[in-house]
Amino acid sequence: MLVNCVAKAWLSYESELRSFIRSRVADTQEAEDLLQETFIKALAEGSRFCELDQPRAWLFRVLKNRMIDYRRSAKSFNDIPDNLEADSEPE
């Protein structure tokens, strides 16, 4: 039942979600990963996902949150100075 519910959501909303994420995340592979993570979260929700009144809205909310997390982690990584010197090798 659960897999059928998530599979139905995938068939119904995957294209729309993919267009949304691809228009906002330049890295194609990262966009695909975020999309897949969204549907993995739907599977992890179990029967609660199947009971949602608006699964499309839930999927978009999860995807947007994943995008925010992605941007935060990318920003944190990009804040490392370019001129950072490596520590000397241990003897």
Side-chain angles (χ1 to χ4, degrees), residues 41-83:
K41 182 154 174 81
L43 282 170
E45 282 295 303
S47 62
R48 290 183 301 251
F49 179 79
C50 296
E51 295 169 2
L52 291 172
D53 290 331
Q54 297 181 354
R56 179 182 173 274
W58 185 92
L59 290 166
F60 268 98
R61 185 171 58 251
V62 169
L63 182 57
K64 288 176 185 179
N65 289 339
R66 294 271 187 232
M67 288 170 50
I68 290 167
D69 293 342
Y70 165 73
R71 288 195 175 130
R72 282 182 185 150
S73 66
K75 183 178 181 198
S76 295
F77 183 74
N78 290 334
D79 286 344
I80 297 173
D82 291 336
N83 63 350

Side-chain angles (χ1 to χ4, degrees), residues 13-31:
Y13 308 118
E14 172 267 334
S15 179
E16 186 179 7
L17 289 162
R18 178 175 275 120
S19 294
F20 176 80
I21 188 76
R22 295 282 307 274
S23 69
R24 288 161 177 80
V25 175
D27 183 335
T28 303
Q29 188 58 51
E30 193 61 42

